[in-house]
Amino acid sequence: MSSKVIINRLATGVPGLDAVLGGGLPEFSFNLIAGPPGCGKTTLAHQMMFALATPARPALYFTVLGEPPLKMLRYQQQFNFFDSNALDQRVRFVSLSEAAMAGDLDQVLRRIIDEVTTHNPGLVFVDSFRSVVQASETEGNAHNKLQQFVQQLGMLMTSWQATTFLIGEYFTETDANPVFTVADGLIWLRQSVERNSMVRKMQIMKMRGQPTLPGLHTFRIGSAGLEVFAPATAGVTVRQDASTPRLGMGVLKLDEMLGGGLPRGYSLLVAGPSGSGKSILAAAFLAEGARCGETGVIAAFEQNPGSSRNRVVAELIASGQIGLVETQASDLSIDEVVFLMLAEIRRIGASRVVIDSLSGFELALAPTFREDFRESLARLVGALAASGVTVLMTSELEDRYTDLRFSPYGTAFMTDSIIVQRYIEVDSRLLRMIAVVKLRGSAHSNQLREFRIDDAGIRIGEMLSGQEGLLGGRPTRRPADFDTGLSAELSATQRPARADGASDD
């Protein structure tokens, strides 16, 4: 009875790549890294090489370029992964330019065999393999010679128990080349310029013996090298019930309208026109969490939450009770934003998350990612829900008075709860109204309540009396008193007493 062979998987040292590969790179595999010029092929190869090379598993890097290896290293050593102490010890560079330019594939192969035999590497890189292909095309019957060369090289590397990488410039996946068939793995890099955005994506076209993540995965090249943003898995979300603990919103009468607060682990959409108080409510939500000893994260895509315009959040960020996700990049992808948010959630152990706002979030994405923004939001909400945090998202709406939409993206079904803020006109004045539209699995108020915003935050009054209050009509009476908001700044015991001596409640 034959036993199952276990293939060892190597950690590539590239953040996010192991997840996309399905657990790492199969040891002793024969791989091709392909894509157009400038997409990051050589940088990816060097990053993996310096991460994988050890004294017991040294690396040979064959250059088939018109420029010497010294010039290539001059630029690659700018990356953090570059280790000059590894050169000529764990990592050795060999130039094949002379043999490649002669167009003699047999000579190229003999040179590779001689070097591999001498140094016994565990990792072999040939960059750029496309140069070998082009050189072979100058001779007759080049296709057959190239196919024979690739097959021989693949068999030799496998017999030597070396993990091999061929780096080549290919512009489309349809470029005919026998190496595509022989290779165990095919990593395809691509890039595109859209307006002022550079979008880079990676696709694992092939990786024998393991389940890779399908589709295109965005990546960014920075000082640390490549960082791949694998899609976050939604996981299993535990549905809340009536016994789920409730979180305070920081606005007392809003908790009352929610039936005791927002259930922990829920996602909440706060929708309303510009200036209606969405960001102030989000700040109250985070401040209430801090007052209860909880940490939070805010992803800011509009005003800077650390500015003086949002003093409460600025102080909490400065104290470390709230983590800030903020980027000025013009080529963001949804997977990169989710990656940044989850990393910050894990860093400070956050239980509350605010996204302010979805409108600004959409504009921060590269144009190509705005086309499927609705699908992207579903992934984001699912990933955050799986992490166990409670999420508040704001969304700006154009207030048309008679339009009862809750989100311009059709995302209302994705969230567990919805709060809408609107304007109403009374005596030639604009007043603010708030209502709880949706709260899954829980009873909630159906009242329309006026609210005010002052230095203490949000103050919610009594129910509007008038059948047309939501649609811009005139209520028959005005509430006499208003509750306070931002309980982190003004607790119930600090509220000024009413003139009539009655309780606010």
Side-chain angles (χ1 to χ4, degrees):
M1 182 177 181
S2 61
S3 59
K4 183 178 179 180
V5 177
I6 303 299
I7 298 178
N8 185 36
R9 296 178 180 178
L10 305 177
T12 61
V14 180
L17 180 56
D18 292 345
V20 171
L21 290 172
L25 186 74
E27 191 174 21
F28 310 140
S29 56
F30 189 55
N31 306 286
L32 175 65
I33 302 174
C39 65
K41 302 182 300 297
T42 298
T43 301
L44 174 61
H46 280 204
Q47 190 172 354
M48 289 193 292
M49 177 178 65
F50 281 102
L52 292 171
T54 65
R57 186 175 56 215
L60 268 180
Y61 199 102
F62 294 98
T63 60
V64 194
L65 300 169
E67 58 186 12
L70 182 62
K71 183 178 180 180
M72 178 180 61
L73 293 177
R74 181 183 305 163
Y75 295 100
Q76 289 297 314
Q77 67 182 349
Q78 306 302 314
F79 292 104
N80 296 342
F81 60 75
F82 190 89
D83 183 5
S84 58
N85 295 325
L87 298 181
D88 295 329
Q89 297 183 29
R90 295 184 290 115
V91 174
R92 181 180 297 273
F93 286 85
V94 178
S95 176
L96 296 178
S97 297
E98 183 177 348
M101 293 300 294
D104 187 347
L105 294 181
D106 291 335
Q107 183 180 349
V108 173
L109 186 60
R110 284 196 299 271
R111 182 70 189 281
I112 293 176
I113 292 174
D114 290 344
E115 293 291 341
V116 170
T117 302
T118 301
H119 300 288
N120 192 28
L123 303 165
V124 175
F125 297 81
V126 181
D127 183 8
S128 155
F129 185 72
R130 183 69 167 178
S131 302
V132 179
V133 175
Q134 292 172 338
S136 69
E137 292 174 352
T138 61
E139 298 184 355
N141 200 20
H143 186 275
N144 290 339
K145 288 187 176 181
L146 178 61
Q147 186 173 15
Q148 181 181 6
F149 171 83
V150 171
Q151 289 175 341
Q152 288 179 334
L153 181 61
M155 288 187 295
L156 286 171
M157 294 301 106
T158 302
S159 64
W160 283 323
Q161 292 191 329
T163 305
T164 308
F165 301 86
L166 306 184
I167 297 94
E169 292 181 357
Y170 295 91
F171 294 87
T172 66
E173 298 88 334
T174 58
D175 284 354
N177 198 296
V179 71
F180 292 169
T181 303
V182 177
D184 299 313
L186 177 53
I187 303 174
W188 204 282
L189 308 184
R190 62 191 74 193
Q191 64 182 6
S192 61
V193 178
E194 300 179 9
R195 299 180 184 176
N196 294 326
S197 301
M198 169 66 77
V199 178
R200 290 186 169 95
K201 298 181 181 180
M202 171 186 296
Q203 183 177 9
I204 309 302
M205 305 285 292
K206 174 183 181 182
M207 190 60 64
R208 286 191 175 118
Q210 59 191 54
T212 60
L213 294 183
L216 298 173
H217 309 285
T218 56
F219 68 93
R220 186 179 295 278
I221 301 178
S223 59
L226 271 72
E227 185 171 21
V228 183
F229 304 107
T233 56
V236 178
T237 303
V238 179
R239 180 47 55 203
Q240 321 297 335
D241 54 32
S243 62
T244 300
R246 302 273 180 145
L247 300 180
M249 295 294 299
V251 180
L252 189 60
K253 284 195 174 180
L254 181 56
D255 293 341
E256 173 188 310
M257 295 173 69
L258 289 166
L262 184 66
R264 185 179 296 277
Y266 266 40
S267 56
L268 167 64
L269 176 66
V270 180
S274 178
S276 61
K278 302 182 297 295
S279 296
I280 295 178
L281 178 56
F285 175 70
L286 291 174
E288 177 66 11
R291 189 183 69 83
C292 297
E294 300 179 54
T295 53
V297 167
I298 180 169
F301 298 101
E302 291 189 355
Q303 67 178 5
N304 181 1
S307 68
S308 59
R309 289 177 294 174
N310 205 328
R311 179 174 57 85
V312 175
V313 175
E315 292 176 353
L316 292 173
I317 292 174
S319 68
Q321 293 173 280
I322 290 181
L324 173 62
V325 174
E326 186 181 33
T327 176
Q328 302 300 320
S330 59
D331 52 358
L332 287 172
S333 69
I334 185 70
D335 291 324
E336 181 174 359
V337 173
V338 173
F339 172 85
L340 294 173
M341 293 182 66
L342 292 178
E344 190 66 9
I345 289 170
R346 288 190 293 267
R347 185 184 72 82
I348 66 173
S351 58
R352 299 189 183 210
V353 172
V354 164
I355 301 175
D356 188 25
S357 69
L358 295 183
S359 309
F361 181 20
E362 182 185 22
L363 292 177
L365 296 176
T368 186
F369 299 116
R370 299 175 194 167
E371 299 174 0
D372 58 350
F373 188 58
R374 186 167 179 261
E375 177 185 347
S376 299
L377 280 181
R379 295 207 314 271
L380 181 145
V381 172
L384 293 178
S387 69
V389 298
T390 306
V391 185
L392 185 153
M393 301 175 288
T394 67
S395 176
E396 183 167 331
L397 295 177
E398 179 184 354
D399 199 330
R400 299 178 180 176
Y401 298 102
T402 58
D403 188 349
L404 296 180
R405 293 177 306 155
F406 304 125
S407 169
Y409 314 108
T411 56
F413 74 96
M414 302 178 190
T415 59
D416 300 305
S417 47
I418 299 174
I419 291 175
V420 64
Q421 296 173 334
R422 304 299 296 266
Y423 290 115
I424 59 174
E425 183 182 352
V426 178
D427 296 331
S428 299
R429 296 169 60 195
L430 283 180
L431 304 180
R432 294 180 175 91
M433 180 277 301
I434 191 169
V436 178
V437 176
K438 169 185 174 183
L439 188 62
R440 279 194 180 122
S442 177
H444 61 86
S445 171
N446 61 359
Q447 297 176 352
L448 309 179
R449 295 195 181 192
E450 185 186 353
F451 71 96
R452 295 179 182 175
I453 299 174
D454 57 23
D455 291 341
I458 294 177
R459 296 175 181 263
I460 296 180
E462 300 300 326
M463 180 179 67
L464 293 171
S465 303
Q467 296 179 350
E468 297 179 338
L470 176 61
L471 303 182
R474 186 188 302 263
T476 58
R477 69 175 179 86
R478 289 279 310 283
D481 61 326
F482 287 80
D483 191 12
T484 186
L486 286 178
S487 60
E489 289 199 323
L490 188 62
S491 67
T493 58
Q494 294 173 312
R495 287 191 219 111
R498 286 175 40 168
D500 56 8
S503 168
D504 282 341
D505 298 326

